Amino acid sequence: PIKESYFMNIGLTQRIEIDNKTGESRDSLDQRWSVFLNFLGYNPIPIPNNIILGRDYFSKLSLKGVILTGGNDLKATNSKSISEKRDQLENLIIKYSISNNTPVLGICRGLQMINHYFGGTMVKIKNHVSIRHDIFIGKETLNVNSYHGFGIHKEGLADCLEIVAEDKNGFVEGAKHKEYSLQGIMWHPERE
């Protein structure tokens, strides 16, 4: 039987890649996202990195939620980053989501973007790229994958966000907004 939730559209932001041969700027999305969301019974809708689409575009998609996926450094953390258009789009999505009560889940870069949007800061972090490590959610320990070169130390978490998970060194591994339906994690569930 088809799950009722399958008809729920979930928007997914995409990383930006530059084709060295043609110079084309391309949007891309790990194929595991569609497998993961279909398994959960949702209909994934990739969102192009085109700020011109704007708020009307999101309304027409009838999104029940948005996932700010991983990939690309924020321009604020890396001046050589090619993600300026993506940063602008994800800022627009957060603003749209707040005004339309649309839930947002940030994955890795997505949590960084949520934190940055609300004035939080990030720092360069070592030993978090292509490894597994323990995080703490209350009294529970969870071993997760890690692929990020920038982290959010608890002192850098925006005031409107609260810690849901952290590592042994005081870096935020999960956070949620105190008022809005915005939350994020630093690991990648689609890769499990």
Side-chain angles (χ1 to χ4, degrees):
I2 295 176
K3 294 180 182 181
E4 185 177 321
S5 61
Y6 183 74
F7 299 103
M8 294 173 66
N9 292 337
I10 303 295
L12 295 156
T13 61
Q14 302 179 78
R15 75 174 61 225
I16 295 175
E17 294 181 347
I18 304 295
D19 182 301
N20 291 331
K21 192 174 183 179
T22 64
E24 283 181 344
S25 178
R26 297 179 177 175
D27 293 334
S28 69
L29 187 63
D30 186 335
Q31 292 178 351
R32 291 175 284 191
W33 271 113
S34 60
V35 173
F36 179 61
L37 289 171
N38 274 291
F39 174 76
L40 295 174
Y42 294 96
N43 184 30
I45 306 290
I47 300 173
N49 286 296
N50 189 340
I51 194 72
I52 296 168
L53 297 174
R55 300 165 78 79
D56 290 340
Y57 178 75
F58 303 133
S59 297
K60 290 174 185 173
L61 293 176
S62 301
L63 299 176
K64 298 299 180 191
V66 178
I67 297 174
L68 307 179
T69 67
N72 298 124
D73 290 337
L74 275 66
K75 193 75 170 175
T77 61
N78 182 351
S79 62
K80 296 179 182 176
S81 174
I82 59 171
S83 68
E84 190 169 4
K85 284 185 180 181
R86 182 176 182 183
D87 293 352
Q88 292 171 353
L89 173 74
E90 289 182 348
N91 277 315
L92 179 65
I93 288 171
I94 293 170
K95 189 174 184 178
Y96 172 85
S97 297
I98 290 169
S99 62
N100 290 279
N101 200 27
T102 303
V104 171
L105 174 62
I107 303 297
C108 196
R109 178 199 198 278
L111 174 55
Q112 294 172 357
M113 177 53 73
I114 292 169
N115 187 53
H116 178 69
Y117 181 89
F118 291 106
T121 59
M122 282 140 308
V123 295
K124 192 106 171 109
I125 189 170
K126 293 181 179 181
N127 302 321
H128 276 262
V129 178
S130 299
I131 65 159
R132 296 191 70 83
H133 67 95
D134 289 341
I135 63 164
F136 307 98
I137 304 172
K139 294 181 181 180
E140 184 181 350
T141 301
L142 185 65
N143 187 266
V144 298
N145 60 40
S146 185
Y147 296 93
H148 53 276
F150 290 90
I152 304 167
H153 200 271
K154 55 186 171 185
E155 285 85 23
L157 190 66
D159 291 339
C160 61
L161 302 177
E162 61 185 51
I163 297 172
V164 174
E166 61 185 309
D167 73 6
K168 66 181 179 182
N169 297 315
F171 283 94
V172 176
E173 293 287 332
K176 67 178 183 176
H177 196 280
K178 294 175 182 176
E179 182 181 351
Y180 304 119
S181 187
L182 297 162
Q183 57 187 334
I185 58 176
M186 290 301 290
W187 65 95
H188 290 256
E190 81 283 5
R191 295 180 182 176
E192 298 286 299

